[in-house]
Amino acid sequence: MKASVVAGSAVSVAMTLSVCLDARAAPRVEVLHWWTSQGEAAALATLRGAAQAEGLEWKEASIVGGGGEQAMRTLKARVDAGISPTAVQVMGLEVHEWAKRGVLTDLNELAAKEGWDKVVPPALQKFSKFNNKWVAVPVNVHSYNWVWASNAVLAKAGVAGEPKTWDQFVAAAEAAKRAGFVGLAHGGQPWQTAMVFDGVVLATGGADFYRKAFIERHPHTLSSPTMKKVFARMTQLRGLVDKDSEGRDWNFATAMVIGERAAFQIMGDFAKGEFLAAGKRPGKDFLCFRLPGSQGAVSFGLDNFAMFAVQGADAIGAQQRLAKVMLDKKFQSDFNVIKGSVPARMDVSDAAFDACGKRGIKELAEASRKNALVGTVVFGHAVAGPIKNSITEIVDQHFNGRMSDDDAVKAIAAALRRTNP
Ligand code: GAL
């Protein structure tokens, strides 16, 4: 009896100890994101796997809603309640807004140890740093002035390959419509229409015009005949979409091209993740090409993970290990190959990437060298939130026929004239 009591108590002590040790052994991270489509989820699985391989216990808050608007509302509620996640997907200049609130972690020590300043391009660093401190980790770089085309639909519509000019692109979409297909698959949500607008500005005026309009906000640029032409082209595109496009999620529009019901989609290269998840191959099943007129220029957006201040040595240690994983070279290749984006580090080989991925890496580097790389307005990489939101609203109103081309030009000029964003 006595021995068993002693043995029993020894076992319970050991179990308690092991539970404590186990609790200490797998420090936990919580990641808030909006990657819930097929392609996004497949890419996220590589991040989860890499974190778990690092010995981290993975918890996630996955908030449905392409583009992240709902995710940002959830984040605000969590921070206001004092229950910030470890790491959060945050777009563009929004990272600085959180840094200003003093709720982000200073990652400079880790960044110095890992040499991030040497491998992450300066154009990207500015979105991950605030007051010269690394406060976010750039995981991947998407670009937005892409067109995704169904080879089968183009063939049935009698369209021979990639349209090179705007007029050829519109003519090809109209040919697809005549052949009984949707010319342009589109999700009529404001952020998606603003993304199309982003590309059309680049295709119509080029990178210098884009910067003069949205970064420098030159009044004459904003009210120029070129800006009027941008909205005339948006009106052309409206004639190519189907009647059910309003409110459609972006990945459902991509599925229309994958399913050979539509010829084209103008969408960021996260659309490629959907093609890959559906077993489609570039060249064989679909084409990826820059929106005609925007060739040579690239509008980009980072998926940055802002690191929120956490308490306690375990949580801080876990956060540092997660941050290190996110910019690890092998992870950068594994993740971006699936996500459709390109690595946030310049020293990652393109060997594992398909033709579209290789093209994305090459064109981003070339655009950067030629000063033709611009941060996208739609995801807050150009102007501050309130002005970005005004542009998105104006473009959405116009695309839905509630504003004329002339009124849209005037409204954009007025929105960008506001000095205090
Ligand atoms: C973007 C994000 C991409 C993709 C897209 C659609 O903001 O950068 O990774 O998720 O939203 O949800």
PDB file of all heavy atoms in Angstrom, residues 92 95-96 119-129 134 136-142 300-304 327 332 342-346 364 368 373-375 381:
ATOM      1  N   GLY A  92       0.313  47.507 -46.328  1.00  0.00           N
ATOM      2  CA  GLY A  92       0.838  48.825 -46.633  1.00  0.00           C
ATOM      3  C   GLY A  92       1.086  49.738 -45.450  1.00  0.00           C
ATOM      4  O   GLY A  92       1.597  49.326 -44.409  1.00  0.00           O
ATOM      5  N   VAL A  95       0.565  49.487 -41.330  1.00  0.00           N
ATOM      6  CA  VAL A  95       1.545  49.037 -40.318  1.00  0.00           C
ATOM      7  C   VAL A  95       2.004  50.237 -39.503  1.00  0.00           C
ATOM      8  O   VAL A  95       2.109  50.182 -38.275  1.00  0.00           O
ATOM      9  CB  VAL A  95       2.763  48.361 -41.005  1.00  0.00           C
ATOM     10  CG1 VAL A  95       3.875  48.093 -39.999  1.00  0.00           C
ATOM     11  CG2 VAL A  95       2.337  47.047 -41.668  1.00  0.00           C
ATOM     12  N   HIS A  96       2.233  51.374 -40.190  1.00  0.00           N
ATOM     13  CA  HIS A  96       2.704  52.573 -39.468  1.00  0.00           C
ATOM     14  C   HIS A  96       1.652  53.061 -38.475  1.00  0.00           C
ATOM     15  O   HIS A  96       1.992  53.583 -37.401  1.00  0.00           O
ATOM     16  CB  HIS A  96       3.043  53.682 -40.469  1.00  0.00           C
ATOM     17  CG  HIS A  96       4.162  53.316 -41.390  1.00  0.00           C
ATOM     18  ND1 HIS A  96       4.531  54.084 -42.468  1.00  0.00           N
ATOM     19  CD2 HIS A  96       4.993  52.238 -41.412  1.00  0.00           C
ATOM     20  CE1 HIS A  96       5.548  53.508 -43.107  1.00  0.00           C
ATOM     21  NE2 HIS A  96       5.839  52.382 -42.480  1.00  0.00           N
ATOM     22  N   VAL A 119      18.928  42.005 -47.502  1.00  0.00           N
ATOM     23  CA  VAL A 119      18.249  41.129 -48.481  1.00  0.00           C
ATOM     24  C   VAL A 119      16.845  41.594 -48.854  1.00  0.00           C
ATOM     25  O   VAL A 119      16.317  41.193 -49.885  1.00  0.00           O
ATOM     26  CB  VAL A 119      18.181  39.676 -47.958  1.00  0.00           C
ATOM     27  CG1 VAL A 119      19.577  39.076 -47.857  1.00  0.00           C
ATOM     28  CG2 VAL A 119      17.450  39.587 -46.626  1.00  0.00           C
ATOM     29  N   VAL A 120      16.236  42.456 -48.015  1.00  0.00           N
ATOM     30  CA  VAL A 120      14.892  42.956 -48.358  1.00  0.00           C
ATOM     31  C   VAL A 120      15.050  44.312 -49.062  1.00  0.00           C
ATOM     32  O   VAL A 120      15.678  45.212 -48.518  1.00  0.00           O
ATOM     33  CB  VAL A 120      14.017  43.122 -47.088  1.00  0.00           C
ATOM     34  CG1 VAL A 120      12.649  43.723 -47.442  1.00  0.00           C
ATOM     35  CG2 VAL A 120      13.836  41.777 -46.369  1.00  0.00           C
ATOM     36  N   PRO A 121      14.494  44.453 -50.277  1.00  0.00           N
ATOM     37  CA  PRO A 121      14.678  45.710 -51.027  1.00  0.00           C
ATOM     38  C   PRO A 121      14.171  46.929 -50.245  1.00  0.00           C
ATOM     39  O   PRO A 121      13.138  46.836 -49.575  1.00  0.00           O
ATOM     40  CB  PRO A 121      13.833  45.506 -52.289  1.00  0.00           C
ATOM     41  CG  PRO A 121      13.627  44.033 -52.417  1.00  0.00           C
ATOM     42  CD  PRO A 121      13.677  43.480 -51.029  1.00  0.00           C
ATOM     43  N   PRO A 122      14.884  48.055 -50.338  1.00  0.00           N
ATOM     44  CA  PRO A 122      14.469  49.275 -49.624  1.00  0.00           C
ATOM     45  C   PRO A 122      13.014  49.667 -49.881  1.00  0.00           C
ATOM     46  O   PRO A 122      12.310  50.098 -48.972  1.00  0.00           O
ATOM     47  CB  PRO A 122      15.438  50.331 -50.171  1.00  0.00           C
ATOM     48  CG  PRO A 122      16.644  49.566 -50.610  1.00  0.00           C
ATOM     49  CD  PRO A 122      16.130  48.236 -51.101  1.00  0.00           C
ATOM     50  N   ALA A 123      12.550  49.463 -51.133  1.00  0.00           N
ATOM     51  CA  ALA A 123      11.165  49.853 -51.480  1.00  0.00           C
ATOM     52  C   ALA A 123      10.159  49.074 -50.632  1.00  0.00           C
ATOM     53  O   ALA A 123       9.057  49.554 -50.345  1.00  0.00           O
ATOM     54  CB  ALA A 123      10.896  49.593 -52.960  1.00  0.00           C
ATOM     55  N   LEU A 124      10.575  47.879 -50.187  1.00  0.00           N
ATOM     56  CA  LEU A 124       9.669  47.059 -49.369  1.00  0.00           C
ATOM     57  C   LEU A 124       9.878  47.347 -47.883  1.00  0.00           C
ATOM     58  O   LEU A 124       8.927  47.348 -47.097  1.00  0.00           O
ATOM     59  CB  LEU A 124       9.923  45.569 -49.634  1.00  0.00           C
ATOM     60  CG  LEU A 124       9.901  45.075 -51.075  1.00  0.00           C
ATOM     61  CD1 LEU A 124       9.996  43.549 -51.116  1.00  0.00           C
ATOM     62  CD2 LEU A 124       8.665  45.540 -51.809  1.00  0.00           C
ATOM     63  N   GLN A 125      11.153  47.637 -47.530  1.00  0.00           N
ATOM     64  CA  GLN A 125      11.469  47.856 -46.117  1.00  0.00           C
ATOM     65  C   GLN A 125      10.606  48.957 -45.503  1.00  0.00           C
ATOM     66  O   GLN A 125      10.198  48.880 -44.348  1.00  0.00           O
ATOM     67  CB  GLN A 125      12.953  48.234 -45.956  1.00  0.00           C
ATOM     68  CG  GLN A 125      13.913  47.078 -46.141  1.00  0.00           C
ATOM     69  CD  GLN A 125      15.341  47.487 -45.790  1.00  0.00           C
ATOM     70  OE1 GLN A 125      15.572  48.338 -44.927  1.00  0.00           O
ATOM     71  NE2 GLN A 125      16.301  46.884 -46.477  1.00  0.00           N
ATOM     72  N   LYS A 126      10.295  49.964 -46.336  1.00  0.00           N
ATOM     73  CA  LYS A 126       9.608  51.132 -45.752  1.00  0.00           C
ATOM     74  C   LYS A 126       8.233  50.760 -45.191  1.00  0.00           C
ATOM     75  O   LYS A 126       7.702  51.416 -44.298  1.00  0.00           O
ATOM     76  CB  LYS A 126       9.499  52.265 -46.763  1.00  0.00           C
ATOM     77  CG  LYS A 126       8.464  52.120 -47.825  1.00  0.00           C
ATOM     78  CD  LYS A 126       8.432  53.390 -48.701  1.00  0.00           C
ATOM     79  CE  LYS A 126       7.037  53.648 -49.215  1.00  0.00           C
ATOM     80  NZ  LYS A 126       6.915  54.834 -50.043  1.00  0.00           N
ATOM     81  N   PHE A 127       7.683  49.635 -45.690  1.00  0.00           N
ATOM     82  CA  PHE A 127       6.361  49.227 -45.180  1.00  0.00           C
ATOM     83  C   PHE A 127       6.495  48.327 -43.941  1.00  0.00           C
ATOM     84  O   PHE A 127       5.526  48.094 -43.224  1.00  0.00           O
ATOM     85  CB  PHE A 127       5.570  48.497 -46.270  1.00  0.00           C
ATOM     86  CG  PHE A 127       5.232  49.377 -47.446  1.00  0.00           C
ATOM     87  CD1 PHE A 127       5.945  49.278 -48.631  1.00  0.00           C
ATOM     88  CD2 PHE A 127       4.247  50.338 -47.332  1.00  0.00           C
ATOM     89  CE1 PHE A 127       5.653  50.113 -49.703  1.00  0.00           C
ATOM     90  CE2 PHE A 127       3.947  51.185 -48.404  1.00  0.00           C
ATOM     91  CZ  PHE A 127       4.658  51.067 -49.582  1.00  0.00           C
ATOM     92  N   SER A 128       7.728  47.801 -43.709  1.00  0.00           N
ATOM     93  CA  SER A 128       7.926  46.892 -42.560  1.00  0.00           C
ATOM     94  C   SER A 128       8.617  47.586 -41.404  1.00  0.00           C
ATOM     95  O   SER A 128       8.794  47.004 -40.342  1.00  0.00           O
ATOM     96  CB  SER A 128       8.778  45.680 -42.999  1.00  0.00           C
ATOM     97  OG  SER A 128       8.168  45.042 -44.104  1.00  0.00           O
ATOM     98  N   LYS A 129       9.044  48.833 -41.637  1.00  0.00           N
ATOM     99  CA  LYS A 129       9.773  49.575 -40.598  1.00  0.00           C
ATOM    100  C   LYS A 129       9.021  50.850 -40.233  1.00  0.00           C
ATOM    101  O   LYS A 129       8.297  51.409 -41.059  1.00  0.00           O
ATOM    102  CB  LYS A 129      11.167  49.974 -41.113  1.00  0.00           C
ATOM    103  CG  LYS A 129      12.140  48.821 -41.292  1.00  0.00           C
ATOM    104  CD  LYS A 129      13.361  49.318 -42.063  1.00  0.00           C
ATOM    105  CE  LYS A 129      14.637  49.026 -41.351  1.00  0.00           C
ATOM    106  NZ  LYS A 129      15.839  49.384 -42.158  1.00  0.00           N
ATOM    107  N   TRP A 134      12.391  47.777 -37.410  1.00  0.00           N
ATOM    108  CA  TRP A 134      11.592  46.701 -38.005  1.00  0.00           C
ATOM    109  C   TRP A 134      10.456  46.386 -37.045  1.00  0.00           C
ATOM    110  O   TRP A 134      10.703  46.078 -35.870  1.00  0.00           O
ATOM    111  CB  TRP A 134      12.442  45.462 -38.214  1.00  0.00           C
ATOM    112  CG  TRP A 134      13.378  45.537 -39.367  1.00  0.00           C
ATOM    113  CD1 TRP A 134      14.649  46.049 -39.358  1.00  0.00           C
ATOM    114  CD2 TRP A 134      13.116  45.116 -40.709  1.00  0.00           C
ATOM    115  NE1 TRP A 134      15.195  45.960 -40.627  1.00  0.00           N
ATOM    116  CE2 TRP A 134      14.284  45.386 -41.455  1.00  0.00           C
ATOM    117  CE3 TRP A 134      12.035  44.505 -41.342  1.00  0.00           C
ATOM    118  CZ2 TRP A 134      14.388  45.078 -42.825  1.00  0.00           C
ATOM    119  CZ3 TRP A 134      12.124  44.200 -42.692  1.00  0.00           C
ATOM    120  CH2 TRP A 134      13.290  44.488 -43.422  1.00  0.00           C
ATOM    121  N   ALA A 136       7.490  44.781 -38.565  1.00  0.00           N
ATOM    122  CA  ALA A 136       6.695  43.789 -39.309  1.00  0.00           C
ATOM    123  C   ALA A 136       7.633  42.958 -40.166  1.00  0.00           C
ATOM    124  O   ALA A 136       8.752  43.401 -40.477  1.00  0.00           O
ATOM    125  CB  ALA A 136       5.663  44.491 -40.194  1.00  0.00           C
ATOM    126  N   VAL A 137       7.191  41.779 -40.542  1.00  0.00           N
ATOM    127  CA  VAL A 137       8.008  40.885 -41.360  1.00  0.00           C
ATOM    128  C   VAL A 137       7.330  40.700 -42.720  1.00  0.00           C
ATOM    129  O   VAL A 137       6.191  40.231 -42.780  1.00  0.00           O
ATOM    130  CB  VAL A 137       8.181  39.507 -40.685  1.00  0.00           C
ATOM    131  CG1 VAL A 137       9.150  38.642 -41.491  1.00  0.00           C
ATOM    132  CG2 VAL A 137       8.681  39.673 -39.261  1.00  0.00           C
ATOM    133  N   PRO A 138       8.014  41.084 -43.809  1.00  0.00           N
ATOM    134  CA  PRO A 138       7.410  40.923 -45.140  1.00  0.00           C
ATOM    135  C   PRO A 138       7.502  39.469 -45.592  1.00  0.00           C
ATOM    136  O   PRO A 138       8.594  38.920 -45.697  1.00  0.00           O
ATOM    137  CB  PRO A 138       8.260  41.839 -46.022  1.00  0.00           C
ATOM    138  CG  PRO A 138       9.597  41.897 -45.340  1.00  0.00           C
ATOM    139  CD  PRO A 138       9.346  41.721 -43.865  1.00  0.00           C
ATOM    140  N   VAL A 139       6.388  38.817 -45.799  1.00  0.00           N
ATOM    141  CA  VAL A 139       6.398  37.405 -46.188  1.00  0.00           C
ATOM    142  C   VAL A 139       6.414  37.250 -47.700  1.00  0.00           C
ATOM    143  O   VAL A 139       7.091  36.380 -48.247  1.00  0.00           O
ATOM    144  CB  VAL A 139       5.159  36.698 -45.585  1.00  0.00           C
ATOM    145  CG1 VAL A 139       4.929  35.329 -46.208  1.00  0.00           C
ATOM    146  CG2 VAL A 139       5.318  36.595 -44.064  1.00  0.00           C
ATOM    147  N   ASN A 140       5.635  38.103 -48.405  1.00  0.00           N
ATOM    148  CA  ASN A 140       5.536  37.920 -49.859  1.00  0.00           C
ATOM    149  C   ASN A 140       5.113  39.214 -50.532  1.00  0.00           C
ATOM    150  O   ASN A 140       4.549  40.100 -49.897  1.00  0.00           O
ATOM    151  CB  ASN A 140       4.527  36.815 -50.184  1.00  0.00           C
ATOM    152  CG  ASN A 140       3.162  37.092 -49.571  1.00  0.00           C
ATOM    153  OD1 ASN A 140       3.051  37.239 -48.355  1.00  0.00           O
ATOM    154  ND2 ASN A 140       2.138  37.200 -50.401  1.00  0.00           N
ATOM    155  N   VAL A 141       5.416  39.284 -51.817  1.00  0.00           N
ATOM    156  CA  VAL A 141       5.103  40.487 -52.596  1.00  0.00           C
ATOM    157  C   VAL A 141       4.156  40.107 -53.741  1.00  0.00           C
ATOM    158  O   VAL A 141       4.529  39.322 -54.624  1.00  0.00           O
ATOM    159  CB  VAL A 141       6.375  41.113 -53.201  1.00  0.00           C
ATOM    160  CG1 VAL A 141       6.057  42.477 -53.806  1.00  0.00           C
ATOM    161  CG2 VAL A 141       7.468  41.233 -52.166  1.00  0.00           C
ATOM    162  N   HIS A 142       2.950  40.601 -53.680  1.00  0.00           N
ATOM    163  CA  HIS A 142       2.026  40.389 -54.800  1.00  0.00           C
ATOM    164  C   HIS A 142       2.121  41.579 -55.746  1.00  0.00           C
ATOM    165  O   HIS A 142       2.471  42.680 -55.332  1.00  0.00           O
ATOM    166  CB  HIS A 142       0.582  40.276 -54.296  1.00  0.00           C
ATOM    167  CG  HIS A 142       0.237  38.903 -53.793  1.00  0.00           C
ATOM    168  ND1 HIS A 142       0.282  37.779 -54.589  1.00  0.00           N
ATOM    169  CD2 HIS A 142      -0.151  38.473 -52.567  1.00  0.00           C
ATOM    170  CE1 HIS A 142      -0.068  36.730 -53.867  1.00  0.00           C
ATOM    171  NE2 HIS A 142      -0.311  37.107 -52.646  1.00  0.00           N
ATOM    172  N   PHE A 300       2.762  46.921 -56.853  1.00  0.00           N
ATOM    173  CA  PHE A 300       2.973  45.825 -55.882  1.00  0.00           C
ATOM    174  C   PHE A 300       2.309  46.107 -54.540  1.00  0.00           C
ATOM    175  O   PHE A 300       1.986  47.244 -54.212  1.00  0.00           O
ATOM    176  CB  PHE A 300       4.478  45.589 -55.672  1.00  0.00           C
ATOM    177  CG  PHE A 300       5.108  46.589 -54.734  1.00  0.00           C
ATOM    178  CD1 PHE A 300       5.243  46.332 -53.376  1.00  0.00           C
ATOM    179  CD2 PHE A 300       5.547  47.833 -55.211  1.00  0.00           C
ATOM    180  CE1 PHE A 300       5.801  47.263 -52.522  1.00  0.00           C
ATOM    181  CE2 PHE A 300       6.110  48.767 -54.356  1.00  0.00           C
ATOM    182  CZ  PHE A 300       6.251  48.489 -52.996  1.00  0.00           C
ATOM    183  N   GLY A 301       2.149  45.037 -53.792  1.00  0.00           N
ATOM    184  CA  GLY A 301       1.674  45.139 -52.402  1.00  0.00           C
ATOM    185  C   GLY A 301       2.304  44.024 -51.590  1.00  0.00           C
ATOM    186  O   GLY A 301       2.436  42.905 -52.064  1.00  0.00           O
ATOM    187  N   LEU A 302       2.717  44.361 -50.383  1.00  0.00           N
ATOM    188  CA  LEU A 302       3.365  43.387 -49.502  1.00  0.00           C
ATOM    189  C   LEU A 302       2.342  42.692 -48.620  1.00  0.00           C
ATOM    190  O   LEU A 302       1.397  43.332 -48.162  1.00  0.00           O
ATOM    191  CB  LEU A 302       4.275  44.147 -48.527  1.00  0.00           C
ATOM    192  CG  LEU A 302       5.729  44.342 -48.827  1.00  0.00           C
ATOM    193  CD1 LEU A 302       6.382  44.978 -47.611  1.00  0.00           C
ATOM    194  CD2 LEU A 302       6.391  43.024 -49.124  1.00  0.00           C
ATOM    195  N   ASP A 303       2.541  41.420 -48.373  1.00  0.00           N
ATOM    196  CA  ASP A 303       1.839  40.808 -47.239  1.00  0.00           C
ATOM    197  C   ASP A 303       2.818  40.831 -46.082  1.00  0.00           C
ATOM    198  O   ASP A 303       3.754  40.053 -46.014  1.00  0.00           O
ATOM    199  CB  ASP A 303       1.413  39.366 -47.566  1.00  0.00           C
ATOM    200  CG  ASP A 303       0.102  39.337 -48.303  1.00  0.00           C
ATOM    201  OD1 ASP A 303      -0.823  40.081 -47.916  1.00  0.00           O
ATOM    202  OD2 ASP A 303      -0.017  38.590 -49.292  1.00  0.00           O
ATOM    203  N   ASN A 304       2.612  41.818 -45.214  1.00  0.00           N
ATOM    204  CA  ASN A 304       3.469  42.071 -44.062  1.00  0.00           C
ATOM    205  C   ASN A 304       2.805  41.488 -42.818  1.00  0.00           C
ATOM    206  O   ASN A 304       1.585  41.618 -42.675  1.00  0.00           O
ATOM    207  CB  ASN A 304       3.509  43.594 -43.837  1.00  0.00           C
ATOM    208  CG  ASN A 304       4.883  44.158 -44.000  1.00  0.00           C
ATOM    209  OD1 ASN A 304       5.867  43.501 -43.697  1.00  0.00           O
ATOM    210  ND2 ASN A 304       4.953  45.389 -44.458  1.00  0.00           N
ATOM    211  N   LEU A 327      11.035  34.885 -42.825  1.00  0.00           N
ATOM    212  CA  LEU A 327      11.993  35.386 -43.819  1.00  0.00           C
ATOM    213  C   LEU A 327      13.093  34.371 -44.099  1.00  0.00           C
ATOM    214  O   LEU A 327      14.097  34.701 -44.726  1.00  0.00           O
ATOM    215  CB  LEU A 327      12.595  36.732 -43.384  1.00  0.00           C
ATOM    216  CG  LEU A 327      11.896  37.944 -44.000  1.00  0.00           C
ATOM    217  CD1 LEU A 327      12.416  39.266 -43.431  1.00  0.00           C
ATOM    218  CD2 LEU A 327      12.017  37.950 -45.519  1.00  0.00           C
ATOM    219  N   GLN A 332      10.627  31.074 -47.852  1.00  0.00           N
ATOM    220  CA  GLN A 332      10.246  32.090 -48.831  1.00  0.00           C
ATOM    221  C   GLN A 332       9.959  31.470 -50.194  1.00  0.00           C
ATOM    222  O   GLN A 332       9.020  31.854 -50.896  1.00  0.00           O
ATOM    223  CB  GLN A 332      11.364  33.134 -48.950  1.00  0.00           C
ATOM    224  CG  GLN A 332      11.376  34.168 -47.825  1.00  0.00           C
ATOM    225  CD  GLN A 332      10.364  35.270 -48.048  1.00  0.00           C
ATOM    226  OE1 GLN A 332      10.293  35.820 -49.142  1.00  0.00           O
ATOM    227  NE2 GLN A 332       9.551  35.563 -47.046  1.00  0.00           N
ATOM    228  N   VAL A 342       5.826  36.757 -55.108  1.00  0.00           N
ATOM    229  CA  VAL A 342       7.276  36.566 -55.228  1.00  0.00           C
ATOM    230  C   VAL A 342       7.902  36.818 -53.850  1.00  0.00           C
ATOM    231  O   VAL A 342       7.296  37.478 -53.006  1.00  0.00           O
ATOM    232  CB  VAL A 342       7.891  37.507 -56.295  1.00  0.00           C
ATOM    233  CG1 VAL A 342       7.227  37.286 -57.653  1.00  0.00           C
ATOM    234  CG2 VAL A 342       7.849  38.951 -55.882  1.00  0.00           C
ATOM    235  N   PRO A 343       9.114  36.288 -53.625  1.00  0.00           N
ATOM    236  CA  PRO A 343       9.730  36.416 -52.304  1.00  0.00           C
ATOM    237  C   PRO A 343       9.994  37.870 -51.921  1.00  0.00           C
ATOM    238  O   PRO A 343      10.189  38.722 -52.794  1.00  0.00           O
ATOM    239  CB  PRO A 343      11.051  35.650 -52.456  1.00  0.00           C
ATOM    240  CG  PRO A 343      10.793  34.695 -53.571  1.00  0.00           C
ATOM    241  CD  PRO A 343       9.877  35.402 -54.507  1.00  0.00           C
ATOM    242  N   ALA A 344      10.002  38.121 -50.622  1.00  0.00           N
ATOM    243  CA  ALA A 344      10.296  39.472 -50.117  1.00  0.00           C
ATOM    244  C   ALA A 344      11.805  39.667 -49.993  1.00  0.00           C
ATOM    245  O   ALA A 344      12.259  40.773 -49.727  1.00  0.00           O
ATOM    246  CB  ALA A 344       9.633  39.671 -48.764  1.00  0.00           C
ATOM    247  N   ARG A 345      12.577  38.577 -50.182  1.00  0.00           N
ATOM    248  CA  ARG A 345      14.047  38.690 -50.165  1.00  0.00           C
ATOM    249  C   ARG A 345      14.544  38.591 -51.598  1.00  0.00           C
ATOM    250  O   ARG A 345      13.995  37.865 -52.411  1.00  0.00           O
ATOM    251  CB  ARG A 345      14.710  37.530 -49.420  1.00  0.00           C
ATOM    252  CG  ARG A 345      14.190  37.143 -48.123  1.00  0.00           C
ATOM    253  CD  ARG A 345      14.909  35.915 -47.552  1.00  0.00           C
ATOM    254  NE  ARG A 345      16.366  35.916 -47.662  1.00  0.00           N
ATOM    255  CZ  ARG A 345      17.177  35.653 -46.615  1.00  0.00           C
ATOM    256  NH1 ARG A 345      16.660  35.429 -45.414  1.00  0.00           N
ATOM    257  NH2 ARG A 345      18.488  35.611 -46.768  1.00  0.00           N
ATOM    258  N   MET A 346      15.652  39.325 -51.866  1.00  0.00           N
ATOM    259  CA  MET A 346      16.152  39.348 -53.244  1.00  0.00           C
ATOM    260  C   MET A 346      17.034  38.149 -53.561  1.00  0.00           C
ATOM    261  O   MET A 346      17.368  37.910 -54.712  1.00  0.00           O
ATOM    262  CB  MET A 346      16.972  40.636 -53.455  1.00  0.00           C
ATOM    263  CG  MET A 346      16.136  41.897 -53.410  1.00  0.00           C
ATOM    264  SD  MET A 346      17.182  43.359 -53.658  1.00  0.00           S
ATOM    265  CE  MET A 346      18.013  43.468 -52.065  1.00  0.00           C
ATOM    266  N   LEU A 364       9.510  42.265 -61.460  1.00  0.00           N
ATOM    267  CA  LEU A 364       9.560  43.139 -60.267  1.00  0.00           C
ATOM    268  C   LEU A 364      10.952  43.766 -60.163  1.00  0.00           C
ATOM    269  O   LEU A 364      11.106  44.973 -59.951  1.00  0.00           O
ATOM    270  CB  LEU A 364       9.254  42.323 -59.004  1.00  0.00           C
ATOM    271  CG  LEU A 364       9.100  43.149 -57.723  1.00  0.00           C
ATOM    272  CD1 LEU A 364       7.661  43.652 -57.580  1.00  0.00           C
ATOM    273  CD2 LEU A 364       9.469  42.363 -56.488  1.00  0.00           C
ATOM    274  N   SER A 368      11.834  47.697 -60.675  1.00  0.00           N
ATOM    275  CA  SER A 368      12.521  48.410 -59.589  1.00  0.00           C
ATOM    276  C   SER A 368      13.732  49.162 -60.151  1.00  0.00           C
ATOM    277  O   SER A 368      13.957  50.334 -59.862  1.00  0.00           O
ATOM    278  CB  SER A 368      12.964  47.402 -58.533  1.00  0.00           C
ATOM    279  OG  SER A 368      13.654  48.049 -57.514  1.00  0.00           O
ATOM    280  N   LEU A 373       8.333  50.774 -60.506  1.00  0.00           N
ATOM    281  CA  LEU A 373       7.695  49.943 -59.472  1.00  0.00           C
ATOM    282  C   LEU A 373       6.896  50.879 -58.573  1.00  0.00           C
ATOM    283  O   LEU A 373       7.454  51.818 -57.988  1.00  0.00           O
ATOM    284  CB  LEU A 373       8.781  49.221 -58.656  1.00  0.00           C
ATOM    285  CG  LEU A 373       8.329  48.297 -57.525  1.00  0.00           C
ATOM    286  CD1 LEU A 373       7.545  47.121 -58.079  1.00  0.00           C
ATOM    287  CD2 LEU A 373       9.538  47.802 -56.732  1.00  0.00           C
ATOM    288  N   VAL A 374       5.580  50.672 -58.508  1.00  0.00           N
ATOM    289  CA  VAL A 374       4.747  51.566 -57.686  1.00  0.00           C
ATOM    290  C   VAL A 374       3.962  50.760 -56.661  1.00  0.00           C
ATOM    291  O   VAL A 374       3.518  49.649 -56.937  1.00  0.00           O
ATOM    292  CB  VAL A 374       3.768  52.376 -58.576  1.00  0.00           C
ATOM    293  CG1 VAL A 374       4.514  53.370 -59.439  1.00  0.00           C
ATOM    294  CG2 VAL A 374       2.890  51.472 -59.405  1.00  0.00           C
ATOM    295  N   GLY A 375       3.782  51.360 -55.471  1.00  0.00           N
ATOM    296  CA  GLY A 375       2.957  50.719 -54.444  1.00  0.00           C
ATOM    297  C   GLY A 375       1.490  50.878 -54.803  1.00  0.00           C
ATOM    298  O   GLY A 375       1.066  51.952 -55.215  1.00  0.00           O
ATOM    299  N   HIS A 381      -0.608  51.046 -50.265  1.00  0.00           N
ATOM    300  CA  HIS A 381       0.848  51.185 -50.444  1.00  0.00           C
ATOM    301  C   HIS A 381       1.190  52.487 -51.161  1.00  0.00           C
ATOM    302  O   HIS A 381       2.315  52.666 -51.632  1.00  0.00           O
ATOM    303  CB  HIS A 381       1.403  50.008 -51.256  1.00  0.00           C
ATOM    304  CG  HIS A 381       1.442  48.711 -50.502  1.00  0.00           C
ATOM    305  ND1 HIS A 381       0.296  48.023 -50.123  1.00  0.00           N
ATOM    306  CD2 HIS A 381       2.481  47.965 -50.035  1.00  0.00           C
ATOM    307  CE1 HIS A 381       0.636  46.923 -49.477  1.00  0.00           C
ATOM    308  NE2 HIS A 381       1.945  46.861 -49.401  1.00  0.00           N
TER     309      HIS A 381
END
